[in-house]
Amino acid sequence: MAKPIPDIVVGRLPIYLRALSFLAAEGTQVTSSHDLGKRLGISAAQIRKDLSFFGEFGKQGTGYNVGYLREQLLRILKVDREWPIALIGVGDLGRALAHYGGFVDRGFRIVALFDNDPAKIGQTIGDLEIMSIDRLAEVAQERGIRAVMLTVPAKAAQKVAEACVAAGVKAILNYAPITLKVPDGALVQHTDPVTHLQRMTYYL
Amino acid sequence: MAKPIPDIVVGRLPIYLRALSFLAAEGTQVTSSHDLGKRLGISAAQIRKDLSFFGEFGKQGTGYNVGYLREQLLRILKVDREWPIALIGVGDLGRALAHYGGFVDRGFRIVALFDNDPAKIGQTIGDLEIMSIDRLAEVAQERGIRAVMLTVPAKAAQKVAEACVAAGVKAILNYAPITLKVPDGALVQHTDPVTHLQRMTYYL
């Protein structure tokens, strides 16, 4: 049986993928663990070790083919397809994410917007109408939504997260400044500007 | 000489700190690597190993004192003080961050807002006026700004990052969907909703 792959390794793959997409867009065809590492602030040895969990992607001395390695990472991360996602909570941050142009060519498309504010429900952003959060279960099922971005206030986040899981959502990207508890089988990633800043002040 | 501490370990400290602050706010006085690990999806062994780089914070069988460990992490991450930070780029995301309430009691205060749009310059958010980005160097020096959040469009980000570094900024939290190149001695953390989502789709 294959060894399970450490989550921390999985967490670095999207970073490698982003760098490879950047190189591909620049027209670069070949790279190396050394080049990637320099670009990302990760050691070349770490990159080689991480990738070795998933196969043999380069040859000693000739480096990696950017297009091929990128395609393999798209496949491994399952973003060689398009995931329909919902955005829950259309405040400033929700609005910013709704306008963010970086989803579509990286495996995701926002297909539903939810809020609980009657003044917002019925408004549109782009070609999406903001819907009542009461419709979450119905719409998630209808549109095959398994991942959401949660941009509701902290005090509402736990309740909304539970409603998401009950609606069949398996992955929650949580922007609310609170630690969510979800049942086993559901995933939460927390994103928070302060943790990123604190990681840097350590070095200052 | 002490071994250098792996950056990946440093990167987990803010996560531990957030959980400890949550526990402290709940009134919990004692926790364990097991409890913390369960809450965070990190193994208890990993947490003990990470913390052991910095000292002895708990006793076998009695766990960690939440308040004490929290204070130690505040000190280690240098957020037992308040860092003045600037926000550059006041679009939807910049506005959301400017309104975000989670900075002040976690080591940071936004003390300056910059944009290059004449229609925005002079407007205020809370008690801060949006200033022309041309004033970055002057204001950064005057207000002791060493860390910034960069929420400008991707095509402007590299140039603005260079202006930041030239103005003495040492830490950039980059929200633009582009990999920035900065000189040695400056730090960049990239934050991007897609990398978080991709880390979860791997498991779906």
Side-chain angles (χ1 to χ4, degrees), chain A residues 110-145:
Chain A
I110 299 178
V111 300
L113 306 175
F114 296 98
D115 205 291
N116 71 346
D117 178 352
K120 288 181 186 162
I121 294 165
Q123 287 185 5
T124 56
I125 297 183
D127 53 2
L128 291 177
E129 186 179 325
I130 301 172
M131 292 180 283
S132 165
I133 203 163
D134 297 339
R135 295 186 57 198
L136 178 65
E138 164 209 342
V139 174
Q141 185 162 28
E142 190 183 285
R143 302 189 188 174
I145 294 166

Side-chain angles (χ1 to χ4, degrees), chain A residues 7 78 199 202-204, chain B residues 7 78 199 202-204:
Chain A
D7 178 59
K78 304 199 184 102
R199 182 175 187 159
Y202 171 82
Y203 295 100
L204 295 185
Chain B
D7 178 60
K78 305 198 183 102
R199 182 175 187 158
Y202 172 82
Y203 296 100
L204 296 185

Side-chain angles (χ1 to χ4, degrees), chain A residues 7 14 18 76-78 92-93 96 99 106 108 175 189-190 192-193 195-196 198-199 201-204, chain B residues 7 14 18 76-78 92-93 96 99 106 175 177 189-190 192-193 196-199 201-204:
Chain A
D7 178 59
R18 187 174 59 211
I76 291 165
L77 291 169
K78 304 199 184 102
D92 285 322
L93 177 60
H99 285 122
R106 296 169 69 199
F108 302 93
Y175 283 83
Q189 283 275 307
H190 188 111
D192 169 351
T195 52
H196 291 289
Q198 290 176 338
R199 182 175 187 159
T201 50
Y202 171 82
Y203 295 100
L204 295 185
Chain B
D7 178 60
R18 187 173 60 211
I76 291 164
L77 290 169
K78 305 198 183 102
D92 285 321
L93 177 60
H99 285 122
R106 296 168 70 199
Y175 284 84
Q189 284 275 309
H190 188 112
D192 168 352
H196 292 289
L197 289 167
Q198 289 176 339
R199 182 175 187 158
T201 51
Y202 172 82
Y203 296 100
L204 296 185

